[in-house]
Amino acid sequence: MKRLLNTYLPSLAITFTATAAAICIVNLTQGFSSVSCTLLLEILGFILLTEAADFLLGKIPFPNCAVYILCEFVVFYGLFLVFGFFPGGWFGAGLSALLQSTVIFIILFGLLQLYFYHTARENARKINSRLK
Amino acid sequence: MKLTINQSSDFTENEIIINCACMNPRLQKLIDYIRQFSFTLEGELDNRLFQIPVEQIIYAESVEGKTFLYDTDHAYFCRRTLASLEEDLGAAPFVRISKNCMINISYLQSVAPYFNHRMKAQLKTGEELIISRNYIDTLKNKLKNQEGIL
């Protein structure tokens, strides 16, 4: 419960708000003045499922970092494809849309890994400085 | 703080006397730290019971529902749960680092980032333990509270 309140709920709120804001900005720049309620709920569903996947992956004793990252990538990318390309998905059909969204996904996934690595390194530095 | 040590073969028991005008949180932490030296935990090894001084315990771990206390050479079976040990060792430099492990931070040498938002703890004995993501803040707070004592 503590983890749900301290980690998952704040990250859900932040991610959902940031994504909704980004969609609004993109839509406004392209001349659309409204955002679909269905789209917002789909995004909420996607974030909820990725958090659930993250929680479940945390329970698995992976042998090393590479296997963990690979597994996380496969699960998240699978969810991304389901939401992005199933009928009524976020992206248009075709190989070009698939390639473009995959590249964006890889960049975002890489940036997230870097962010978490730097946060962890900073945490470790603070703890080690207290241990000295 | 003035520190006086009187060493003599006349003394039959080690004794620490603190003279102070008033108690403050820092002094209280020091007293709590000293008190752990008179505190022991009961552990079993080869069907024999041992009273293990708390400061000699490097970490306590729960494996398949059984609790074990580890010093530099032995793993003692302890009949208590980690939760009850955690309650009693609140003032001692022990901290929970995962659902099934608590360590004596006096033996903690360093930590390093580890995958899945966790950390790897390197102990002075050379052993390595994993710190769960949920307990990283607990460790940080404990170290902050123990600052100046360890």
Side-chain angles (χ1 to χ4, degrees):
Chain A
M1 188 52 124
K2 190 181 160 194
R3 192 162 149 196
L4 178 77
L5 292 174
N6 292 347
T7 310
Y8 289 109
L9 211 58
S11 74
L12 171 75
I14 292 166
T15 317
F16 181 72
T17 309
T19 314
I23 290 167
C24 289
I25 291 165
V26 170
N27 277 6
L28 281 174
T29 55
Q30 293 189 347
F32 303 110
S33 56
S34 64
V35 177
S36 150
C37 292
T38 320
L39 176 66
L40 289 177
L41 284 175
E42 281 172 6
I43 288 164
L44 186 65
F46 174 70
I47 298 167
L48 275 171
L49 282 175
T50 49
E51 292 207 336
D54 179 64
F55 175 78
L56 293 173
L57 287 171
K59 301 267 177 203
I60 301 170
F62 290 99
N64 58 52
C65 185
V67 176
Y68 167 71
I69 290 178
L70 185 70
C71 197
E72 193 178 53
F73 179 85
V74 169
V75 172
F76 286 4
Y77 186 58
L79 283 170
F80 179 74
L81 287 181
V82 168
F83 277 82
F85 291 97
F86 258 51
W90 303 333
F91 310 107
L95 189 65
S96 164
L98 177 68
L99 285 175
Q100 277 179 20
S101 54
T102 300
V103 169
I104 292 168
F105 178 84
I106 291 170
I107 291 169
L108 288 176
F109 185 82
L111 287 173
L112 273 175
Q113 295 301 324
L114 274 176
Y115 168 77
F116 284 123
Y117 174 72
H118 283 285
T119 310
R121 210 172 60 171
E122 185 57 19
N123 263 334
R125 192 193 60 75
K126 280 180 187 167
I127 291 172
N128 288 334
S129 70
R130 288 196 189 281
L131 284 171
K132 276 178 192 167
Chain B
M1 190 188 294
K2 200 172 124 186
L3 180 66
T4 308
I5 299 168
N6 298 317
Q7 188 177 355
S8 162
S9 55
D10 295 340
F11 297 123
T12 55
E13 190 184 4
N14 294 333
E15 184 183 20
I16 295 168
I17 297 169
I18 294 172
N19 301 314
C20 63
C22 68
M23 188 64 77
N24 60 43
R26 205 155 172 254
L27 192 56
Q28 186 57 53
K29 279 182 197 168
L30 180 62
I31 292 164
D32 290 339
Y33 187 72
I34 293 167
R35 276 207 175 119
Q36 69 160 319
F37 284 80
S38 58
F39 191 58
T40 59
L41 289 175
E42 197 174 79
E44 291 177 36
L45 182 68
D46 299 330
N47 293 322
R48 289 168 64 197
L49 277 180
F50 292 87
Q51 294 298 325
I52 313 147
V54 165
E55 75 276 8
Q56 285 180 17
I57 297 169
I58 302 165
Y59 64 98
E61 190 180 29
S62 172
V63 183
E64 293 171 357
K66 292 177 179 171
T67 307
F68 294 92
L69 307 172
Y70 297 85
D71 69 7
T72 46
D73 302 312
H74 307 101
Y76 301 90
F77 169 63
C78 177
R79 294 201 174 271
R80 298 176 59 185
T81 62
L82 269 190
S84 78
L85 288 177
E86 197 178 11
E87 270 178 34
D88 281 357
L89 298 173
F94 275 81
V95 66
R96 193 81 167 244
I97 58 162
S98 68
K99 208 172 166 183
N100 57 359
C101 186
M102 61 190 292
I103 59 163
N104 184 340
I105 50 178
S106 312
Y107 289 92
L108 181 58
Q109 187 166 50
S110 65
V111 297
Y114 200 57
F115 67 92
N116 203 353
H117 313 291
R118 296 174 298 171
M119 281 193 183
K120 188 184 272 187
Q122 175 80 49
L123 304 185
K124 287 172 185 169
T125 55
E127 287 169 279
E128 289 179 339
L129 295 169
I130 301 300
I131 307 170
S132 295
R133 59 167 105 171
N134 294 341
Y135 293 94
I136 292 171
D137 283 341
T138 316
L139 173 64
K140 273 159 77 176
N141 291 336
K142 186 76 178 184
L143 285 168
K144 199 177 170 187
N145 290 337
Q146 298 276 330
E147 215 164 26
I149 294 175
L150 284 177

